[in-house]
Amino acid sequence: MVGLTGGIGSGKSAVSALFEELGFTVVDADVAARTVVEPGTPVLAQIAEHFGADVIAADGTLDRAALRRRVFADPEQRRWLESVTHPAIGAEIRRGLEQATSPYAMLVSPLLFEAKQSVLADRVLVVDVSEQTQLARTMRRDANDEAQVRAIIAAQIDRAGRLERADDVIVNEGSLEELRPQVLALHARYLELAATMAGE
């Protein structure tokens, strides 16, 4: 099991999509995070009760932007939210990984270390970019201002901390075509490791 992580705007989705193209199970923590707060779920009910109706959109779904503004301005509120969402997300992730049939599976998570999801992984793959690249990509993609993106970056483990705990690193400062050879090389390595582990 490979845990794939990286800071916001690093290109985790692009990397995981390339692994998925090769036919391997990819479980995305962000997808799990959206699943556990769908309308009618106990987690969404707790969030609405705690933060009030202004974090619920007119269609009954979670207003993620409104919630993000609330929790990134207040570390205590962020900790409360994580105490409710992280256990539910963890359970959803484990369900997805248990259903994997490929020789290796991949868990994609921006909070692999912070949410202690790295314990599920045999290896950790970090997608690495500079902070300048993170800022530029995230501001362009999400239409967030620089202060908000910097707050999100500050809430995640720092770049040095991520790299220190990595078994493998993909540098994603270039194009999608520059990513592909790095993914293929790691894919071959993971197949070897999976075969070795299966033979033990």
Side-chain angles (χ1 to χ4, degrees):
M1 216 290 288
V2 179
L4 184 155
T5 194
I8 189 169
S10 60
K12 296 178 295 297
S13 298
V15 172
S16 67
L18 290 171
F19 278 102
E20 212 163 3
E21 274 177 29
L22 296 166
F24 288 81
T25 301
V26 173
V27 176
D28 191 322
D30 282 345
V31 173
R34 285 193 289 275
T35 302
V36 302
V37 294
E38 284 175 353
T41 58
V43 173
L44 184 62
Q46 281 180 273
I47 290 169
E49 188 180 324
H50 184 84
F51 289 104
D54 60 333
V55 298
I56 306 299
D59 63 359
T61 59
L62 181 65
D63 184 336
R64 300 177 83 81
L67 183 62
R68 192 182 295 132
R69 282 192 296 273
R70 295 279 290 276
V71 300
F72 279 106
D74 186 338
E76 200 173 304
Q77 294 297 342
R78 191 176 82 240
R79 280 191 291 275
W80 180 88
L81 181 65
E82 289 170 353
S83 76
V84 171
T85 56
H86 284 184
I89 293 165
E92 187 68 23
I93 285 167
R94 281 189 290 277
R95 258 196 301 280
L97 293 173
E98 283 161 12
Q99 291 166 6
T101 54
S102 49
Y104 68 86
M106 184 166 280
L107 165 60
V108 184
S109 176
L111 301 175
L112 192 75
F113 301 121
E114 297 90 329
K116 303 194 172 30
Q117 295 159 346
S118 58
V119 298
L120 301 170
D122 299 302
R123 289 185 79 77
V124 171
L125 167 59
V126 167
V127 183
D128 184 52
V129 295
S130 67
E131 190 172 300
Q132 288 73 21
T133 300
Q134 282 185 280
L135 283 167
R137 282 184 185 162
T138 309
M139 286 165 67
R140 189 168 60 239
R141 182 189 70 193
D142 298 343
N144 285 337
D145 63 25
E146 185 174 334
Q148 191 171 9
V149 178
R150 284 192 183 279
I152 294 167
I153 291 171
Q156 297 180 335
I157 188 171
D158 67 24
R159 185 183 181 188
R162 257 194 306 272
L163 290 171
E164 199 174 278
R165 296 166 77 173
D167 297 299
D168 307 297
V169 177
I170 282 181
V171 176
N172 186 23
E173 293 286 354
S175 69
L176 198 58
E177 285 316 303
E178 289 172 88
L179 269 185
R180 200 174 296 275
Q182 296 184 76
V183 167
L184 290 172
L186 281 172
H187 168 62
R189 176 84 179 115
Y190 295 154
L191 283 175
E192 280 174 23
L193 290 168
T196 303
M197 288 173 79
E200 282 176 357

